[in-house]
Each structure stands twice: as structure tokens, then as C-alpha cells.
Amino acid sequence: MSRFNDPNPFDEEEEVNPFSKGAAAAGRVPPVASVPLGFGGKHDATVDVPLDTMNDTKKKEKQLAAWEADLKRREQEIKRREDAVAKTGVTPDNKNWPPFFPIIHHDIANEIPVHAQRLQYLAFASWLGIVLCLVFNVISVTICWIQGGGVKIFFLSTIYALLGVPLSYLLWYRPLYQAMSTDSALNFGCFFLVYLLHIAFCIIAAIAPPIVFHGQSFTGILAAVDVISSHVLAGIFYFVGFGLFCLETLLSLWVLQKIYLYFRGNK
């Protein structure tokens, strides 16, 4: 072959008009035929889906839908509780105390701030103390009545217990519970006002002057001295009741001091 036929590398490349028919034909890329392939290179491969797998999928979808509905229900319940706390300061949950016969809702661990729970438990002990004093007072006066003390003192002691237990809960313990959970100054003020009356009541009950409590309807020191001279067993119960009222008075004074310091900011 002649070397003159070899292309000159230094020659300028021939310009090609991209709009010409020849250039379009020359520059067209030949199409590649698509070949369907199955699994293993076979054209007629099929996939068998077991019916059990489809049933399991539907079952899981139903479970997920049930879980989603349960989550929505719980979210609505939580929102309802949050709204109730924002309005009233106390969640409208079911009654849970006392455990053997629930009549009130009481949940210090979940509704009272951690730094105030100890004070709330002390106040709760004070409320349980006045309940114990009033119930024991009924028992002591009943013994005195059986031994000839008169039925009037029995009815008076029963009235004191029936009124004292719910009123003490509604008038000073529940306001304190709400004040601790919402930091409400109004509820604190209500508590302090009624709790001072509670302490005064405990002091008078520990003394039991016959003018106020119609003789022996309360187990105070004066009534205990009077009863033990004629009825020894009843007198012993009266002295025990006097001790309970004294302990309740001291505990109430301590609770009042602690809560007052808490209210003033010494937490």
C-alpha cells in the first residue's frame, strides 16, 4: 500500500453538517432489541406466591390497624387528661383510694411534683390522723354509752365523725392537693385558712370542755378524768383518745410550718 494513501493526522477534520440526512443516518445508534428474561434466563419463568403468606400479610395489616386505633385512643385520653389538669388542676381519673373500697382519687407519686411529695405525704398523714381520732372517739364514747353514759353523747360523736371526715378532706386536704399540683396561690390560701380552724378544733377536742361538746361526747382530758372515776374501761379509752388528739395537734402544727415555708419559697 502507498503511504500517500494514509490519512494525514495534521489535516483538519472534515466538517459534518448535523442537519444533513447523511449525518443523521451516520450518527444514528442502532437500536438494541430488548430481550425479556425470566429467572434463570428462562422466558416463561413464573413466581408462585403461597396463600399462607398472603393471609399472614392481611393479618398483620389488621393488627397494625388495631394498634393504630389504640394509639389514637390513648392520645385522645392523654389530651383529655391534660385539658382537665389545665382547667381544674386535678385529673378526672377513676377512684383508687382506699384500695379495698375506692371512694376518692389519690395519686401523689404521679400528680405532685417530686420536691413537694414529702410535704403532701405529711399532710396526708395529718388527714389520716384526724380520721383516726374521730373514729376512735366514736368507739370510746360508745363504750361510755354502754356503761351508762347516755345515748346523746353517742349521737353527737357519730355526727362529729360523719361531718368531720368528709369536710376535712374537702375543705383543707383537697385544696392543698390541688395547690401542690398546680402551684395555685388561691388554693394555698384556702388551705391555710381552714387548716388553722382544724388545729383549733383539735386543741378544743383534746381539752373537751363540757360546755362546747356537751359533756363526754369527745375524748378530751376533762372528759377522761370525769369518766374514769365511774367507768374505768371507758376512762382508759378516753385517755387514749386524748393522746391521739394531742399527737394530731402537734403533727398539724408541724405540717402547717413546713407548708408555710414551702409556700414562701423555702423548698
Side-chain angles (χ1 to χ4, degrees):
M1 293 178 64
S2 175
R3 64 177 182 175
F4 296 101
N5 294 329
D6 294 337
N8 187 356
F10 299 100
D11 290 343
E12 294 182 358
E13 295 181 3
E14 183 181 0
E15 294 183 358
V16 179
N17 187 358
F19 299 100
S20 64
K21 294 183 179 180
R28 184 180 300 117
V29 178
V32 179
S34 60
V35 180
L37 294 176
F39 291 100
K42 298 179 180 179
H43 299 282
D44 57 348
T46 59
V47 179
D48 295 332
V49 180
L51 295 178
D52 294 340
T53 304
M54 297 178 63
N55 294 334
D56 292 341
T57 303
K58 292 182 179 179
K59 186 176 180 181
K60 290 181 179 179
E61 289 178 355
K62 291 181 179 179
Q63 291 178 351
L64 290 175
W67 289 342
E68 184 178 0
D70 185 63
L71 287 175
K72 289 182 179 179
R73 181 185 61 80
R74 293 190 180 186
E75 289 177 357
Q76 292 176 357
E77 179 66 17
I78 292 174
K79 187 176 184 302
R80 183 181 66 85
R81 293 179 60 181
E82 290 177 349
D83 293 340
V85 171
K87 292 179 181 179
T88 63
V90 179
T91 55
D93 289 344
N94 296 329
K95 300 176 178 63
N96 61 352
W97 194 91
F100 56 87
F101 187 71
I103 56 177
I104 62 173
H105 175 75
H106 193 260
D107 192 2
I108 295 177
N110 294 322
E111 296 178 352
I112 305 299
V114 176
H115 62 273
Q117 289 182 5
R118 182 173 179 272
L119 289 179
Q120 191 64 45
Y121 279 119
L122 287 176
F124 186 56
S126 176
W127 181 71
L128 292 179
I130 191 61
V131 172
L132 175 62
C133 290
L134 293 175
V135 172
F136 190 83
N137 181 79
V138 173
I139 297 173
S140 302
V141 173
T142 302
I143 295 175
C144 181
W145 167 46
I146 293 174
Q147 293 184 347
V151 68
K152 185 179 293 186
I153 60 175
F154 168 75
F155 283 116
L156 288 175
S157 64
T158 304
I159 292 173
Y160 301 152
L162 293 177
L163 292 179
V165 172
L167 289 179
S168 60
Y169 175 80
L170 295 174
L171 295 181
W172 65 261
Y173 182 75
R174 197 62 184 176
L176 177 63
Y177 192 94
Q178 295 177 353
M180 288 294 192
S181 61
T182 61
D183 200 20
S184 171
L186 180 61
N187 287 324
F188 271 114
C190 180
F191 163 76
F192 286 127
L193 178 62
V194 182
Y195 202 65
L196 288 174
L197 298 176
H198 159 77
I199 294 175
F201 171 81
C202 293
I203 294 173
I204 296 175
I207 299 173
I211 299 175
V212 178
F213 295 110
H214 191 74
Q216 301 162 353
S217 60
F218 258 89
T219 56
I221 183 62
L222 298 180
V225 172
D226 186 25
V227 170
I228 200 170
S229 59
S230 56
H231 309 291
V232 178
L233 180 61
I236 294 174
F237 272 84
Y238 268 64
F239 272 106
V240 174
F242 162 69
L244 291 177
F245 275 114
C246 289
L247 291 176
E248 174 64 18
T249 302
L250 295 176
L251 177 61
S252 299
L253 290 172
W254 186 38
V255 170
L256 180 65
Q257 179 190 17
K258 292 291 185 180
I259 295 179
Y260 177 75
L261 293 177
Y262 175 86
F263 178 69
R264 293 297 300 268
N266 297 326
K267 302 177 183 179

